Amino acid sequence: MTTSTEMSQLAIVTGASSGIGKATAQRLAADGFHVLAGVRKQSDADKIAEVNIEPVILDVTDQTHIDNLVERVASDPHKRPLRTLVNNAGVAVNAPIEVLTLDDWRFQFDVSVFGQIALTRALLPALLANKGRIVNITSVGGRVAMANFGAYSAAKFAMEAVSDSLRREVEEFGVTVVKVTPGAVSTNLTDSGLAAAARIADTMTPEQHERYDELGKAFTAQAEGFARDGVTPEHAAGVISRAVTARKPKTRYTIGRDGAMFTFMPRIASDRFLDTVLRSQNKSLAKTKS
């Protein structure tokens, strides 16, 4: 139910062009927030603009964009306080570590770690002043690092640490930090991840193809399975809405059965057991693409 308090507050959602981010912007707008929806292109802004959703051009790696957003919040014509920052923007660079270039690693971290940190730091004074909430969208890849997910998982593991440290630094000042951990969600991040993997595969040597082509088939099958069987972005947005609006939120919410399973599994399973399970899973997935 929308409250008058929520209607008088701002929420920022990054990566709102599509998928989880777009669905979250729409859900929070329906909850009554005025949502500043971060998108990278004007064409995406035109598509998402609607009642209570104000698109803002935001590349989290561009300091000018960040400064503009901070100014937009500070100069809100209705003097609405910033209630929530949902850090959702991210990319997926998936390939074996041997074949990833340092530029690939930098791109993954620039968007998925350093950009998130830069935006959070810039908005933290407003969030502190308003006793707001930061919701970081993590991943099961930040709990279990699977083969072919080295750069992506490293970035998500980093955001797990950033989230925990920040929560312990600012909670006593009234700012709540919450992690939301999705499993398989049907979004276009799957398509962009497959495209990035194909681009990198084109640079591999014959010896690397011999080593990793089966792994590439497994990754493709898994990604296609996410697109086919994953929960909808709207389902994910419902969980994020709870993380935003709960009076006493948990420190983590999971999305989907696999989100819950992979969050819990590292606590009870040994590394060797996980190695065996994941290796067997990859072999089975690869067969489906042979």
Side-chain angles (χ1 to χ4, degrees):
M1 178 181 296
T2 299
T3 69
S4 58
T5 300
E6 287 169 349
M7 291 180 71
S8 63
Q9 295 179 331
L10 299 175
I12 294 172
V13 180
T14 68
S17 297
S18 61
I20 292 175
K22 181 177 182 179
T24 298
Q26 292 170 333
R27 175 58 184 263
L28 294 183
D31 288 341
F33 293 96
H34 184 78
V35 180
L36 302 178
V39 298
R40 295 187 65 187
K41 299 183 296 184
Q42 185 59 46
S43 58
D44 293 327
D46 295 340
K47 292 175 184 176
I48 198 173
E50 57 185 68
V51 175
N52 278 349
I53 298 181
E54 177 186 336
V56 293
I57 300 299
L58 178 63
D59 177 343
V60 295
T61 68
D62 189 320
Q63 188 60 47
T64 299
H65 290 184
I66 292 174
D67 293 342
N68 290 342
L69 180 57
V70 171
E71 175 60 25
R72 167 63 186 82
V73 170
S75 61
D76 183 71
H78 301 287
K79 300 187 183 302
R80 291 167 293 205
L82 178 61
R83 161 69 172 169
T84 298
L85 167 63
V86 180
N87 279 314
N88 170 73
V91 294
V93 180
N94 296 104
I97 289 172
E98 180 185 354
V99 303
L100 283 171
T101 68
L102 288 181
D103 283 343
D104 292 326
W105 284 87
R106 291 187 182 102
F107 176 61
Q108 178 72 73
F109 271 73
D110 280 345
V111 177
S112 300
V113 181
F114 303 135
Q116 316 286 355
I117 293 170
L119 183 62
T120 300
R121 289 181 67 243
L123 292 168
L124 199 52
L127 290 162
L128 284 163
N130 301 316
K131 299 187 184 301
R133 186 166 301 177
I134 298 167
V135 178
N136 288 332
I137 310 304
T138 61
S139 169
V140 295
R143 302 294 290 170
V144 177
M146 295 178 283
N148 219 61
F149 284 76
Y152 177 81
S153 283
K156 291 300 185 180
F157 268 82
M159 285 308 298
E160 287 277 336
V162 169
S163 298
D164 286 343
S165 289
L166 184 62
R167 184 181 69 251
R168 291 159 184 159
E169 291 164 1
V170 300
E171 193 165 40
E172 65 178 295
F173 306 116
V175 174
T176 307
V177 180
V178 182
K179 294 176 285 188
V180 176
T181 305
V185 180
S186 181
T187 73
N188 67 355
L189 187 61
T190 298
D191 295 332
S192 61
L194 286 171
R199 172 185 60 79
I200 295 169
D202 287 341
T203 70
M204 289 165 55
T205 66
E207 292 79 10
Q208 289 170 340
H209 276 290
E210 186 174 349
R211 279 193 284 275
Y212 302 122
D213 275 358
E214 183 176 83
L215 183 59
K217 292 178 182 178
F219 170 72
T220 300
Q222 183 183 57
E224 291 173 349
F226 285 178
R228 182 183 63 249
D229 304 323
V231 301
T232 65
E234 290 73 23
H235 174 90
V239 177
I240 295 168
S241 173
R242 292 201 297 275
V244 167
T245 60
R247 291 186 62 186
K248 294 183 178 180
K250 298 184 288 187
T251 58
R252 183 193 303 275
Y253 293 80
T254 60
I255 297 174
R257 291 181 180 178
D258 53 339
M261 180 182 70
F262 277 100
T263 296
F264 179 71
M265 188 179 293
R267 302 177 189 172
I268 61 172
S270 70
D271 290 342
R272 290 299 186 191
F273 176 79
L274 284 174
D275 290 350
T276 300
V277 169
L278 294 173
R279 188 179 301 113
S280 176
Q281 180 188 60
N282 280 338
K283 289 184 181 299
S284 177
L285 287 168
K287 288 180 180 179
T288 69
K289 302 301 293 183
S290 297

